[in-house]
Amino acid sequence: MQTGFVGLGAMGAHMARNLHRAGLLTGVWNRTREKAKALAEELKVHSFANLAELAGNCEAVVICVSADKDLREVVAGLEPGLSPNMIVMDCSTVGKDTVRDIYAQLAALGVGFLDCPVSGGVEGARTASLAIMCGGDEAVFNRAQPILEKLGKAVALMGGSGSGQATKATNQIMCAGIIQAVGEAMAFAHEEGVDLKKVIEVLGKGAGSSWYFVNRAPFMANNSFPAGFRVRLHDKDLRICREMAAKHGGVLPVVESTIDQYGKLIAEGHGDEDISAIYRLKSKLFPPKPESM
Ligand code: NAP
């Protein structure tokens, strides 16, 4: 299937490369055009002038942009070029109501739409080992599967439109608790004076381990948090979780305390760092030692 890719950020650029490797990528579009031109040149695919042109030259479109408003803008841009039986897949993490609106908007044009948010980080995007949780019609999912399988290892249809985002929100709540626990544990280990590399090596195989511990505790040990999953993106996700929980009358303490801590990081200018930057706050839970004062 001739596929176009929209949104060549930390995740999208790798995902587009994987589609290219599978011989599926027709061309790309990115808001900042230089990124699209550079990738198109590298892969020898089209850099489309606008979204309608991309839609008009493809049978399927994969989107990976930041937030709800961005997805709505992209879909509006694609719309004039869309034709019946096309498939649009959105891998961004956005609200359930947004994807349901878009599902209905595109269904009126005879276009299939799947919410298919992903998990597995930039590493998962690069190695095509993402977990992809989809919401939408089974027939559309079956047609889209050959594309999605080139992006991830675990691809599942969770139910109707929006159920992919409901599953992703569940994941983001877990990530919040885990990154807080890993940050707190690493700050504690640092205070204890144990060799942090050895801690990661041995505990990486222990019961308290997790993807975040194995992949992000090393960032904490180095006190360096290069952009992987940006603080401001997880903050956006947790606000979605908060809103969804509120619709059921619930308040989630892990979500609330993580939003509070991310607010501090963003105010201190760390919003574009990886979420392992929470270690900056966890380190401050211990008073400075007299010799370093
Ligand atoms: P990113 O590096 O910040 O890239 C965002 C992309 O969206 C860029 O290509 C950006 O274009 C584009 N974009 C933003 N607003 C737009 C708009 N209004 N119109 C058109 N394009 C727009 O983000 P990312 O880390 O790749 O994440 C993308 C999505 O995947 C997010 O929803 C995020 O929550 C989700 N996600 C991320 C991770 C992760 O580990 N990073 C993991 C799972 C899921 P420009 O180049 O012009 O800025």
Side-chain angles (χ1 to χ4, degrees):
M1 219 184 296
Q2 302 271 305
T3 308
F5 203 101
V6 176
L8 304 171
M11 299 292 284
H14 290 304
M15 294 162 79
R17 281 196 184 91
N18 290 331
L19 290 185
H20 174 68
R21 258 178 229 119
L24 292 170
L25 189 69
T26 302
V28 294
W29 183 88
N30 192 69
R31 179 179 59 179
T32 306
R33 285 218 61 192
E34 293 69 42
K35 285 190 202 169
K37 280 188 186 158
L39 192 69
E41 226 161 81
E42 175 195 321
L43 304 180
K44 310 276 177 269
V45 297
H46 292 286
S47 168
F48 290 109
N50 55 58
L51 287 162
E53 187 184 285
L54 179 143
N57 283 280
C58 295
E59 298 162 276
V61 182
V62 183
I63 305 169
C64 190
V65 294
S66 308
D68 296 59
K69 149 186 131 352
D70 309 312
L71 174 63
R72 286 184 192 274
E73 280 174 22
V74 164
V75 171
L78 290 170
E79 217 179 299
L82 293 172
S83 50
N85 293 321
M86 281 183 69
I87 301 176
V88 177
M89 286 154 267
D90 176 51
C91 297
S92 325
T93 306
V94 297
K96 192 172 156 184
D97 293 346
T98 298
V99 295
R100 284 187 166 176
D101 285 354
I102 293 172
Y103 171 88
Q105 181 187 339
L106 297 189
L109 305 173
V111 174
F113 178 75
L114 295 173
D115 47 302
C116 29
V118 301
S119 175
V122 175
E123 293 83 348
R126 187 171 50 76
T127 58
S129 58
L130 293 166
I132 310 183
M133 45 226 92
C134 305
D137 299 343
E138 197 172 352
V140 175
F141 174 75
N142 290 339
R143 285 170 55 219
Q145 216 168 359
I147 296 171
L148 297 172
E149 276 171 358
K150 301 296 183 294
L151 302 174
K153 262 193 193 146
V155 183
L157 179 65
M158 307 308 299
S161 181
S163 55
Q165 293 297 350
T167 310
K168 173 70 185 185
T170 306
N171 185 67
Q172 297 313 81
I173 296 167
M174 286 197 283
C175 292
I178 293 166
I179 201 68
Q180 282 221 45
V182 171
E184 227 163 276
M186 287 297 285
F188 170 81
H190 176 76
E191 288 301 306
E192 281 294 318
V194 281
D195 182 328
L196 295 183
K197 271 195 186 139
K198 282 190 179 163
V199 166
I200 296 167
E201 233 171 78
V202 68
L203 293 188
K205 297 177 179 68
S209 186
S210 62
W211 186 94
Y212 274 105
F213 183 71
V214 171
N215 292 284
R216 294 298 180 250
F219 286 16
M220 296 176 184
N222 292 332
N223 226 350
S224 158
F225 315 99
F229 183 30
R230 294 172 210 273
V231 169
R232 60 175 89 255
L233 285 181
H234 197 198
D235 180 67
K236 172 258 304 174
D237 297 351
L238 294 177
R239 287 169 194 276
I240 292 171
C241 298
R242 170 194 268 169
E243 217 179 292
M244 288 172 76
K247 283 192 178 155
H248 301 291
V251 176
L252 304 175
V254 166
V255 168
E256 294 305 321
S257 86
T258 311
I259 289 176
D260 184 51
Q261 289 175 61
Y262 285 171
K264 288 183 186 136
L265 285 175
I266 292 168
E268 288 172 14
H270 303 301
D272 283 321
E273 290 183 343
D274 183 77
I275 61 169
S276 47
I278 203 161
Y279 181 72
R280 292 182 184 280
L281 303 180
K282 300 296 185 186
S283 302
K284 290 185 198 154
L285 295 173
F286 298 96
K289 294 214 163 29
E291 59 273 19
S292 64
M293 277 170 93

